[in-house]
């Protein structure tokens, strides 16, 4: 629960968000709760002068508010509403809170190659655009499968950035191995963060992007941990976008195979996370197959010519 700081002499305070009539498009009360919380925090934040971003705004002159005409009992009156510069600041905060690694910050759906020699990726790109358009009415997540370097992470990050900029959705990015490492580090007595402090934002994010699921060596602890994360988000009806380099197939022994085939088979997603969790993913997500060449190897080879 947010509390207003105690008053300080000589310090101006941004006003609270008013109750806007439903006729005003883009009213703040229509934002997702997690995003609205950040906006409220900004409203409570004591400032002696407007922020640098707001001070440059030609619409609100740094106040953070603008007046819009609305119809009220047959006459036109002006109603205060948040300026777009504040929404831009909210978007910047959400983007920073999303923890997108610097390596992927250039990734957008708009700059994803899906034409010409990359037309095999067109269906995955279209599925990503449709996901953004339908969210949050359609809250099922995405399970993006495909070979290494074909653009799965690019699409997942592009989706998150679109949701942040267009729908003020609080997103969180985590590399699967890094998340497990942070959880393990929390068991160290010298580390201040507890396991729950690491997991809480993972549990509560409106949209979680979990990159390279199955990349860590499977152990009982790993299986228990991924089970805890996915089951919690499933029960809370949270949206999860997952990428994996492993084929979406059951583990060895789950299906009848010849001895030669079994000896030559590659590991599957079922091998890495267990069949029970793979089945749970199918309840949580729509499967999107990302087919294409390894971009990283292709461009690296081209640069050496």
């Amino acid at each position: 629960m947010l509390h207003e700081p105690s008053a300080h002499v000589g310090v101006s305070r941004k006003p609270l968000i008013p109750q806007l009539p439903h006729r005003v498009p883009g009213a703040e009360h229509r934002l997702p709760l997690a995003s609205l919380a950040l906006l409220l925090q900004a409203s409570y934040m004591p400032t002696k002068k407007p922020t640098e971003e707001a001070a440059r705004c030609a619409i609100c002159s740094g106040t953070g508010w603008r007046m819009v005409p609305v119809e009220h009992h047959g006459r036109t009156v002006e109603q205060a509403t948040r300026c777009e510069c504040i929404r831009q600041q909210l978007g910047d905060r959400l983007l920073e809170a999303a923890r997108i690694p610097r390596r992927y910050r250039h990734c957008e759906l708009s700059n994803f190659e899906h034409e010409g020699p990359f037309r095999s990726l067109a269906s995955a790109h279209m599925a990503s655009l449709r996901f953004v358009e339908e969210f949050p009415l359609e809250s099922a997540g995405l399970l993006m499968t495909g070979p290494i370097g074909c653009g799965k992470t690019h699409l997942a990050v592009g989706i998150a950035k679109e949701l942040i900029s267009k729908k003020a959705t609080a997103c969180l990015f985590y590399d699967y191995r890094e998340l497990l490492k942070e959880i393990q580090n929390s068991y160290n007595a010298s580390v201040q963060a507890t396991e729950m402090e690491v997991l809480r934002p993972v549990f509560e994010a409106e949209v979680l992007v979990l990159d390279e699921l199955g990349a860590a060596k499977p152990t009982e602890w790993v299986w228990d941990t991924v089970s805890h994360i996915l089951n919690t988000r499933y029960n809370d009806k949270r949206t999860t976008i997952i990428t994996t380099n492993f084929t979406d197939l059951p583990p060895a022994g789950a299906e009848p195979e010849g001895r030669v085939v079994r000896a030559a088979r590659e590991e599957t997603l079922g091998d890495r996370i267990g069949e029970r969790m793979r089945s749970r993913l199918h309840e949580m997500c729509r499967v999107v197959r990302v087919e294409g060449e390894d971009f990283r190897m292709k461009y690296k080879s081209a640069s050496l010519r």
Side-chain angles (χ1 to χ4, degrees):
M1 179 179 297
L2 297 173
H3 298 282
E4 183 173 2
S6 58
H8 296 279
V9 177
V11 178
S12 64
R13 191 179 312 282
K14 298 177 184 178
L16 291 175
I17 298 175
Q19 294 296 320
L20 300 176
H22 69 276
R23 293 185 297 270
V24 180
E28 277 72 18
H29 63 269
R30 298 174 59 187
L31 289 173
L33 290 179
S35 306
L36 182 57
L38 285 177
L39 192 56
L40 280 169
Q41 285 178 324
S43 300
Y44 279 119
M45 190 180 298
T47 55
K48 294 185 178 180
K49 59 182 180 179
T51 63
E52 183 179 349
E53 293 87 354
R56 290 198 296 262
C57 181
I59 298 175
C60 70
S61 300
T63 65
W65 297 89
R66 63 187 178 90
M67 304 301 292
V68 295
V70 297
E71 292 296 323
H72 183 70
H73 296 307
R75 62 192 184 94
T76 302
V77 297
E78 289 192 323
Q79 170 72 60
T81 185
R82 272 300 185 188
C83 182
E84 288 303 314
C85 67
I86 296 297
R87 286 183 171 275
Q88 179 61 49
Q89 291 178 49
L90 171 62
D92 292 343
R93 291 189 182 198
L94 287 173
L95 189 59
E96 182 178 354
R99 293 174 47 105
I100 296 173
R102 183 177 300 177
R103 176 183 296 274
Y104 303 124
R105 287 183 186 171
H106 71 284
C107 297
E108 311 272 356
L109 293 183
S110 60
N111 62 20
F112 183 77
E113 295 280 359
H114 62 281
E115 297 177 344
F118 308 108
R119 58 184 175 273
S120 63
L121 298 167
S123 61
H125 180 256
M126 182 61 66
S128 301
L129 293 174
R130 189 182 309 116
F131 177 89
V132 173
E133 181 181 349
E134 295 175 352
F135 184 88
L137 296 180
E138 175 56 64
S139 60
L142 297 177
L143 172 60
M144 295 184 166
T145 69
I148 295 173
C150 64
K152 300 181 298 297
T153 303
H154 187 133
L155 287 173
V157 170
I159 290 172
K161 292 173 76 173
E162 288 281 304
L163 292 177
I164 289 171
S165 63
K166 293 184 177 179
K167 301 194 174 183
T169 302
C171 300
L172 181 65
F173 179 100
Y174 253 112
D175 177 90
Y176 178 65
R177 290 162 297 190
E178 289 300 318
L179 176 57
L180 294 176
K181 187 181 298 183
E182 284 193 27
I183 296 171
Q184 286 179 321
N185 288 342
S186 70
Y187 304 150
N188 189 330
S190 63
V191 177
Q192 292 184 351
T194 65
E195 179 182 13
M196 195 58 211
E197 286 174 337
V198 174
L199 286 173
R200 184 175 291 112
V202 176
F203 291 157
E204 298 179 354
E206 290 182 72
V207 175
L208 172 68
V209 176
L210 192 57
D211 194 38
E212 295 204 21
L213 179 65
K217 182 180 178 180
T219 64
E220 286 296 327
W221 178 84
V222 168
W223 282 11
D224 287 345
T225 302
V226 70
S227 174
H228 185 34
I229 292 170
L230 295 180
N231 278 328
T232 300
R233 292 189 61 81
Y234 172 78
N235 292 331
D236 291 342
K237 296 184 177 181
R238 305 283 189 183
T239 300
T240 308
I241 300 173
I242 294 171
T243 74
T244 182
N245 298 327
F246 294 94
T247 307
D248 180 30
L249 290 173
E255 290 184 335
E257 294 178 315
R259 182 175 301 175
V260 176
V261 174
R262 185 174 300 171
R265 74 189 291 277
E266 295 183 352
E267 280 192 294
T268 66
L269 185 59
D271 292 322
R272 304 296 288 191
I273 67 171
E275 182 59 13
R276 185 164 58 89
M277 277 302 99
R278 191 182 79 91
S279 176
R280 176 52 51 85
L281 285 182
H282 282 221
E283 297 180 61
M284 297 172 61
C285 305
R286 299 197 304 264
V287 179
V288 175
R289 178 69 181 170
V290 185
E291 302 278 2
E293 297 182 64
D294 186 336
F295 285 101
R296 289 169 289 194
M297 289 299 295
K298 183 174 181 179
Y299 291 139
K300 181 178 179 180
S301 298
S303 66
L304 296 176
R305 290 174 187 169

